[in-house]
Amino acid sequence: MSNSDPKQQRPRPGPWPPAPESSAMPPSSWAKRTGFRPKFSGETNASDSGQISLPSRPREQEAQPDLEAGRARPTANGRVESVKAQVTTPAAPPQASAEKEKTVKKRREVDGIPKHSANGNGAAVPASDQPPSQPRRQARNDEGIDVLPLSVDDDGAMARHSHLKYELRDSPGLVPIGLYGFQHYLSILGSLILTPLVIVPAMGGTPEDTANVVSTVLFVSGVTTLLHTSFGSRLPLIQGPSFVYLAPALAIINSPEFRGLNGNSFKHIMKELQGALIISSTFQAILGYSGLMSLILRLINPVVVSPTIAAVGLSFYSYGFPLVGNCLEIGAVQILLVILFSLYLRKISIFGHRIFLIYAVPLGLAITWAAAFLLTAAGAYSYKGCDINVPSSNIISEHCRKHVSRMKYCRVDTNQAIQSSPWFRFPYPLQWGTPVFTWKMAFVMCVVSIIASVDSVGSYHASSLLVASRPPTPGVLSRGIGLEGLSSVLAGLWGTGTGSTTLTENVHTIAVTKMGSRRAVEIGACILIVLSLVGKVGGFIASIPQVMVAALLCFMWAMLAALGLSNLRYSEAGSSRNIIIVGLSLFFSLSIPAYFQQYGISPNSNMSVPSYFQPYIVASHGPFRTNFGGVNYVMNTLLSLHMVVAFLVAVILDNTVPGSRQERGVYVWSESEVARREPAVTKDYELPFRIGRVFRWVKWVGL
């Protein structure tokens, strides 16, 4: 937050801080309904969760339009409400003021607001009703503190979405918007490509199979992103293979019935995954389009979302560094480089862009890959008389046995995916065969689809505060969840191995790249579809050494855990109630699955799967041993998934332990009637091509 200069503050009635002439919040306000108790000390405390409470201003200054935005200042539920504090900044120079006048004029024309003025709901008011001219504010982050949660940027300044280069409906031109869109996808490259690089080798797939699945993932991600930005929530959120689906996919892959498969085990297991995904995705689509998601929203709060998503990232600790340790000089350097770029060099700007922060993952991957290639070419991992192509079980020489692990994990020339990939390949549905439907695997995936919906709820709310004029209505959110279900059906038909859902990392990417344009994400999705048709692109990605994949995942999963916990900023993070609930949820999410995963395993047992996949074979030895094999499979598998345990503990405790709405941090969504009256909100979320008018009677999936 910028420091105010007393000499340049606008005139205020009475001393500063002024004595409140009325209640801090009117009875109809969001803060009053949520039990918010204003503080007049002007200071923060632990229970404020980073939000600052300052004295209220007189009533006559409440419904001021945001002059730079050309529309009224947004509030949490779509109403114009009392603003607790106004941060003033020095007056802008004449040239900057002229530029802002143009921006105001353009934005008002887009929103359908007359040029002269706008009231709190975005409707025109006569010019005579405007208050006397006052010094112009410099930026939109001079808005009320208690309207929407503020974020702290890398410079330590409190700011709202005014720092974005392009907002939700901005489209400055094809070339700049295309470059920014490609940058947006490149910055979350790890989230898009790392999941297939884990599951395909686990299914016994060849490098060529991995390349084909990667190309399919890029294609489906591009198509589903276009569908979501057009007919879903319409927020600039990228759809892709979420890490939420990774743990259940690995549990299905390591099911007892798939051990000892003869022939191509990859296609057989992939068809089982496709069947489970199609059924669970249909369930998710029904959950959204039937309006049931609006009812479930009453149970989903930041205190529930935070430990659930954090558990997704924390649950893969057995896969991360243990695999990196197979070649420390490559994997550890990869991790250190990404940390160096994303933390220590994050404020360095090159041509106005924070290159190291935005491209931390691709830059770290490129440098480490180049170093590993030079070491391989120099013969650092070539041992006399040893051949990497000889299976380890056939190696007789003790000298070669000692170095076989380094030859396998440190060399970069062992993967032939690029050579075996065609130049052109079109991913098509049912390319692996007809899906196989098994009820026990489908039931596990149905439960996971609820977790994916919980993840998306947090992403919708956080991203809307960055790019949109208001949070979405419950109907828009239900519509988005329903379309995510249809998107996962497409992922199941095409055979990506995981469902397609909103990437949680996308919210962080919007804040870092300062790109919130819906059009940029759509053009980036088109570029992704084109790249998916070039088979060599998939082959190039599939040739990333496994150690580097694990090293990148260490960073990505840590980011996912942190992004999950960041949802606590919408609640009172210092509340003892919330601390205990989140702590219990996280602890039991690690401890209870550990009990299931270790139950019945002898310390000296010789497992046929790698050590980092042992947590996912629980279906064969878990504590549930009834006469019904399917029930045993479902219960042992579900209770061994960290995110499921975290969700169950958090949702039960948060909805049974008493607490005020402000303490719980209940997500506030825009009211449908208010949203429909405001042109800006309507343009943000309404369906294109007048489709919304045709389905206006479907109240639970629209504005």
Side-chain angles (χ1 to χ4, degrees), residues 115-130:
K115 300 178 182 179
H116 51 274
S117 62
N119 65 5
N121 289 326
V125 296
S128 59
D129 293 342
Q130 293 297 315

Side-chain angles (χ1 to χ4, degrees), residues 471-492:
T473 64
V476 171
L477 187 142
S478 297
R479 187 178 73 197
I481 297 298
L483 190 66
E484 284 191 15
L486 295 181
S487 299
S488 291
V489 171
L490 296 181

Side-chain angles (χ1 to χ4, degrees), residues 41-105:
S41 63
E43 299 174 354
T44 60
N45 55 27
S47 65
D48 289 332
S49 183
Q51 295 190 11
I52 301 175
S53 299
L54 294 176
S56 61
R57 296 191 298 129
R59 296 279 298 181
E60 58 268 23
Q61 297 184 12
E62 287 178 357
Q64 295 291 337
D66 188 338
L67 298 180
E68 182 176 345
R71 54 176 178 260
R73 292 192 301 273
T75 58
N77 65 348
R79 294 184 179 181
V80 175
E81 305 185 12
S82 63
V83 181
K84 287 196 165 186
Q86 182 73 28
V87 181
T88 57
T89 56
Q95 183 177 1
S97 299
E99 295 178 357
K100 289 172 186 175
E101 287 287 357
K102 296 180 181 179
T103 305
V104 172
K105 180 179 178 181

